Amino acid sequence: MKALEGVKILDFTHVQSGPTCTQLLAWFGADVIKVERPGVGDATRGQLRDIPDVDSLYFTMLNHNKRSITLNTKDETGKEVLERLVKECDILVENFAPGALDRMGFGWDRIQELNPRMIMASVKGFGPGPYEDCKVYENVAQCTGGSASTTGFLDGPPTVTGAQIGDSGTGVHLALGIVTALYQREQTGRGQKVLAAMQDGVLNLCRVKLRDQQRLEHGPLNEYSQAGQGIPFGEATPRAGNDSGGGQPGWIVKCKGWETDPNAYVYFITQAAVWGSVCDVIGKPEWKEDPDYAKPPARLDKIAHIFDTIEAWTKTKTKFEVMDICNPLDIPCGPILSMKELAEEPSLRETGTIVEVDHPERGKYLTVGCPVKLSDSEVEVTRSPLLGEHTVEVLSDVLGYTGESLERIIASGAVGEIKAEAAE
């Protein structure tokens, strides 16, 4: 059986943060029922399309293993269906603008009245405070959560990262909150509210920078390359370029082919424990005994020169040759892998980290599979649902509408247009 088999999730999420959360739970076996507006659906179905009139990759890659039901929640019959869904499901997940569920008539008090065991999980931009009613997108979250101010180079502007730490990162946090609340419900029998604010999620992922903010009060951050260059620190944790955040000097250096390949680089760390091996590899064995280089404190003001010397060596090797030489010596390094290289990496296909999925309208496409592997709950990634594809199935199998009662719901228009073969 699957880890979350038998758990029913009412999915009112859209775009990225919420769907990231519910997709994770669906991968682990939960029955995720995605509620969408008839004829419209999740906005990402039509965003960034590469094929006309087909669900975009933005949508398909965030909504695997789910069922889709279309429902007009402003319609009285639609509200009847929604009430029954609330009673039947274990978890409701939403990332609406603040107050949207209350305006629908399904705020926390009403949900608790219908189903005291219901867990209501929400993604919001900010937690309680001066900005709690503000609308937030990915890059806004990165900026307000501390990531942008600490990303980039010292002499440049704040920079956002390509990793979706605001949206997808918060979705992962929310999934953890949900399964925690689900476990607690086993002890108490009660549901509860779960909130994951995007600002909070980004700040959690930036905790080492908050660590450095406090260390800065007691002196310069010597592992930052600016310390060795004699550049004074300000009052806040600075942008650190490609410095390692773990206290060991690290930098991205060029490799063979960098002139034409924008990703012919490797991240190289001069870890103190393997300094001798680093010196041997780059052709500087004399540095092992030289008092100006032998110990980490002595090397602080020479970091730029050291990495220039390392780069002179790495430029004679491909990034993979650097890995082949350094890994057996325990020298920490890693190639800069492009999305093309990752998409073509066989080992990621074998582990299910990248999977190929067949879609009835767009054909085969690549997507990211479940990043967490459970030995007793294997994940099979199934395609995202077409808009309203499972409406009749959910109405009958989950809510028990059959015969005349099912015909009444369909005839009301509350669930949108139903194809004749689906109705039968």
Side-chain angles (χ1 to χ4, degrees):
M1 68 181 287
K2 302 291 187 181
L4 294 180
E5 192 170 316
V7 175
K8 288 187 176 62
I9 298 177
L10 189 55
D11 184 3
F12 268 107
T13 69
H14 56 284
V15 191
Q16 186 178 164
S17 58
T20 296
C21 167
T22 52
Q23 178 171 259
L24 276 170
L25 301 176
W27 279 337
F28 291 133
D31 181 9
V32 176
I33 302 168
K34 187 176 180 74
V35 181
E36 302 184 77
R37 287 170 56 197
V40 180
D42 189 318
T44 58
R45 285 185 183 269
Q47 288 181 358
L48 306 176
R49 275 182 170 145
D50 57 323
I51 302 174
D53 303 320
V54 171
D55 286 340
S56 71
L57 288 168
Y58 195 7
F59 176 83
T60 61
M61 294 177 73
L62 287 161
N63 291 281
H64 294 109
N65 297 58
K66 302 179 184 180
R67 297 198 278 181
S68 170
I69 176 175
T70 48
L71 187 64
N72 180 1
T73 56
K74 295 179 180 179
D75 179 273
E76 286 304 312
T77 304
K79 288 184 178 180
E80 172 198 325
V81 173
L82 181 52
E83 283 190 1
R84 292 186 65 166
L85 282 168
V86 170
K87 291 177 181 179
E88 288 294 327
C89 291
D90 301 282
I91 302 157
L92 185 153
V93 189
E94 59 92 19
N95 61 335
F96 290 127
L101 275 180
D102 293 298
R103 292 190 292 273
M104 287 168 56
F106 288 86
W108 174 241
D109 290 341
R110 178 58 176 153
I111 287 174
Q112 281 283 281
E113 180 183 326
L114 292 168
N115 184 356
R117 289 174 56 83
M118 172 69 78
I119 294 164
M120 189 175 87
S122 304
V123 171
K124 295 291 178 264
F126 296 94
Y131 305 117
E132 61 184 304
D133 294 328
C134 294
K135 197 170 186 178
V136 174
Y137 290 91
E138 170 66 45
N139 287 352
V140 174
Q142 289 192 29
C143 292
T144 59
S147 174
S149 71
T150 56
T151 302
F153 289 90
L154 189 62
D155 58 354
T159 305
V160 297
T161 174
Q164 304 291 280
I165 62 175
D167 276 322
S168 288
T170 304
V172 173
H173 283 91
L174 187 66
L176 172 62
I178 287 171
V179 294
T180 302
L182 197 61
Y183 178 80
Q184 188 173 14
R185 193 182 73 175
E186 294 301 304
Q187 322 304 316
T188 66
R190 299 192 308 273
Q192 61 182 295
K193 290 194 289 184
V194 179
L195 171 65
M198 293 173 71
Q199 181 187 44
D200 298 0
V202 171
L203 180 56
N204 183 46
L205 297 175
C206 292
R207 66 180 69 184
V208 298
K209 299 301 182 179
L210 183 60
R211 171 204 68 189
D212 291 347
Q213 179 63 44
Q214 296 170 87
R215 292 174 57 228
L216 191 56
E217 298 173 6
H218 302 284
L221 307 173
N222 287 329
E223 78 280 8
Y224 282 57
S225 57
Q226 75 178 75
Q229 299 172 50
I231 301 173
F233 287 82
E235 295 181 345
T237 304
R239 290 184 278 286
N242 290 319
D243 288 345
S244 168
Q248 304 288 344
W251 202 252
I252 291 178
V253 290
K254 297 171 182 173
C255 293
K256 188 176 182 179
W258 67 272
E259 298 92 341
T260 56
D261 182 356
N263 295 299
Y265 290 81
V266 69
Y267 195 87
F268 198 105
I269 297 177
T270 58
Q271 188 178 25
V274 292
W275 173 245
S277 296
V278 171
C279 294
D280 290 335
V281 162
I282 65 175
K284 289 291 183 180
E286 66 273 17
W287 283 358
K288 291 187 288 185
E289 305 299 333
D290 188 332
D292 288 335
Y293 291 90
K295 300 296 181 183
R299 296 195 289 269
L300 284 176
D301 61 350
K302 304 174 188 68
I303 291 298
H305 173 60
I306 289 170
F307 278 108
D308 284 345
T309 306
I310 292 170
E311 186 172 72
W313 174 75
T314 58
K315 285 166 70 174
T316 68
K317 313 289 181 187
T318 69
K319 59 189 178 185
F320 298 110
E321 289 172 339
V322 173
M323 285 283 288
D324 290 341
I325 293 169
C326 291
N327 277 342
L329 300 173
D330 291 331
I331 299 173
C333 63
I336 308 305
L337 296 179
S338 69
M339 283 297 149
K340 184 176 186 297
E341 289 170 317
L342 289 167
E344 295 172 352
E345 172 55 46
S347 66
L348 297 179
R349 305 285 188 98
E350 292 168 5
T351 59
T353 299
I354 289 181
V355 297
E356 187 175 72
V357 179
D358 199 3
H359 190 275
E361 294 181 343
R362 71 160 37 252
K364 294 184 183 296
Y365 67 94
L366 285 185
T367 188
V368 175
C370 186
V372 181
K373 278 62 173 181
L374 302 182
S375 62
D376 283 357
S377 185
E378 186 176 351
V379 172
E380 178 188 0
V381 177
T382 60
R383 68 169 175 83
S384 60
L386 302 176
L387 179 61
E389 179 178 354
H390 304 97
T391 298
V392 172
E393 182 179 297
V394 170
L395 289 173
S396 58
D397 295 351
V398 178
L399 301 184
Y401 288 107
T402 59
E404 291 183 2
S405 64
L406 179 60
E407 291 176 4
R408 175 179 64 84
I409 298 297
I410 294 174
S412 73
V415 293
E417 184 178 350
I418 301 295
K419 293 181 180 179
E421 60 267 25
E424 292 173 1

